[in-house]
Amino acid sequence: MKTIDLAGTGISAPNVVLGLMRIADKSDDEVRELVTTARDAGIDFVDHADVYGNELHGCERRFAEAMQLTSSQRAELTIQTKCGIVPEGPYFDFSYERIIESVNGSLAALQTDVIDILLLHRPDALVEPEEVARAFDELEAAGKVRAFGVSNHTPRQIDLLKKYVTQPIVANQLQLSITHSPIIAQGVSANMVGQDQSLTLDGGGIVDYCRLNDITIQAWSPFQAGFFNGVFLGSPDHVELNKVIDRLAAAYDVPPIAIATAWITRHPANMQVVLGTTTPERVSAAALGSDLPLTKAEWYELFRAGGHLVP
């Protein structure tokens, strides 16, 4: 398992992460098998959010109840969670009160004294960055959160936070897969007339921005064809892409899902892949793509087969 250093945190993290948004209805044995399988594959980093589950903090609580981590076992894991989405309204809330309340709820649900990384979930259009800074300062001073990041944020939104927040923004969780890669496609196709993928949106250049600012990109939905509309692996809607994936999988002697993982981990930005599966076998298979040495030609062949124009 390839590891990366999260700048300024002292955390050495695997480039494949176990996402736990779908464990609410899993039994203790199923949760333990999933986490143990990930650990065996070298994945000691888990991703949560306060809104994951059938109730607030549901998946965080399910994880803690099933795992019953000892202090030494807890120390071996990097636990990341997110806050800011409020499904019952007002939908998004980065206020001081909401952040503090959410973190305290996550600490209780996770049965831990500290969250290793806290991400601000989808952007709050009404964000008051001074309040975010106040919350971050308090949480850091109290030892409740070690490091901070964001999710689904643009360069300008991050810049606005950085004007007030004193802690480094260490991660930005963004949707990315072979078939859903506008954050990469817009750079490849810059200045191409009449091509939708060349449009610069929301400040543009988020991949380069994160590289310049030592922000680790965490790719969520790495096997989704689009926005929660099914996976592309084995899909009849992506025949040509799957032909390329299957050929490369045979050449490297790995499952197809490892090739889909490797397409992201091969990028020199040192991204992390956030797995959403609850199937242990798929976790093991995906982890095999952690350090798979795809060539540039293979990477671009997958990119083109995924529906992106390569000039």
Side-chain angles (χ1 to χ4, degrees), residues 43-79:
I43 302 171
D44 58 5
F45 189 122
V46 296
D47 176 71
H48 286 280
D50 58 357
V51 293
Y52 292 166
N54 303 321
E55 58 184 3
L56 194 62
H57 303 293
C59 285
E60 294 171 325
R61 188 174 298 109
R62 183 83 286 275
F63 169 77
E65 291 172 348
M67 296 303 298
Q68 292 293 304
L69 297 174
T70 64
S71 57
S72 60
Q73 290 171 334
R74 167 64 185 92
E76 293 172 351
L77 284 177
T78 297
I79 296 181

Side-chain angles (χ1 to χ4, degrees), residues 18 23 26 29-41 43 257 275-288:
L18 181 63
I23 64 168
K26 297 295 180 182
D29 287 343
E30 288 172 324
V31 173
R32 284 193 290 264
E33 182 184 8
L34 179 65
V35 176
T36 299
T37 299
R39 292 299 310 278
D40 290 344
I43 302 171
I257 195 172
L275 304 178
T277 182
T278 57
T279 304
E281 293 77 15
R282 286 176 65 81
V283 171
S284 297
L288 295 175

